[in-house]
Amino acid sequence: MPQSTIPADNLDRELSVVDPDDPSLSHLAVVGDTYTVLLSGAQTGGHFCLIDMMVPDGGGPGPHRHDFEEMFHLIEGEIEFTFRGEKRVAKAGMTVNIPANAPHSFKNVSGSVVRMLCLCAPAGQEEFFARVGMPVESRTAAAPALSKDEFGAFLAKAAALAPQFRTELLKP
């Protein structure tokens, strides 16, 4: 019988069972959206991170791209994805995969809050969000509205940190 090429079980890694309402999780406001880090890169050995996103009507990030794969699974609502300039709407139950390096953005077009899961592989994007976002109490807490000056400061900070996190912010 051939020997297995699968490495031995890593006993330093443990089973993760995550409750998105667990108050010990990191809940972050990122320009109007509320992100909850369900699984961090530290928990997955750097393979991926999993983020629970609550996106208000009209919300979503502007054009950007990453040097890693990003997958979204919509739980509630509709999101309009712009991928390489083409617009497509994804609805609850659908999954969208964004290949590495591709320019994209998304916007909530459902008229209510959208909930979706975002998986980034390999991990790292959760650290970017932690550095640019601000903590909020829970995953359902509304992100605070930013003044024009606060929004400008956020954009400047995000632009400065983006290269460290294999991300590029693009002009709208």
Side-chain angles (χ1 to χ4, degrees):
M1 178 154 59
Q3 282 199 322
S4 174
T5 57
I6 298 174
D9 183 13
N10 181 348
L11 299 178
D12 292 330
R13 304 230 7 244
E14 300 202 8
L15 175 72
S16 297
V17 179
V18 182
D19 176 352
D21 293 316
D22 181 344
S24 70
L25 293 175
S26 176
H27 307 286
L28 302 164
V30 181
V31 191
D33 304 340
T34 303
Y35 297 170
T36 299
V37 178
L38 299 178
L39 289 169
S40 69
Q43 292 168 285
T44 67
H47 294 286
F48 66 92
C49 66
L50 182 64
I51 301 166
D52 186 345
M53 303 173 118
M54 302 291 270
V55 183
D57 188 37
H64 61 284
R65 63 191 200 113
H66 314 282
D67 186 20
F68 52 82
E69 295 282 317
E70 195 171 28
M71 181 172 52
F72 298 92
H73 179 75
L74 276 77
I75 297 171
E76 300 167 4
E78 295 182 1
I79 292 283
E80 178 183 79
F81 284 89
T82 302
F83 176 75
R84 295 182 184 145
E86 177 188 346
K87 294 185 185 302
R88 296 193 52 191
V89 174
K91 299 177 182 188
M94 297 174 107
T95 300
V96 176
N97 187 69
I98 306 288
N101 307 314
H104 64 284
S105 63
F106 63 83
K107 182 178 179 180
N108 175 347
V109 295
S110 66
S112 62
V113 173
V114 164
R115 182 171 178 215
M116 62 184 178
L117 297 176
C118 174
L119 184 140
C120 298
Q125 194 66 4
E126 79 280 19
E127 295 173 31
F128 177 70
F129 292 144
R131 302 261 305 266
V132 299
M134 61 178 52
V136 292
E137 198 170 300
S138 73
R139 74 175 177 87
T140 57
L146 300 179
S147 70
K148 186 177 179 181
D149 288 343
E150 290 169 324
F151 182 70
F154 166 82
L155 287 179
K157 185 175 186 179
L161 289 171
Q164 295 173 40
F165 294 94
R166 301 167 49 197
T167 296
E168 180 182 8
L169 304 180
L170 305 170
K171 300 247 186 249

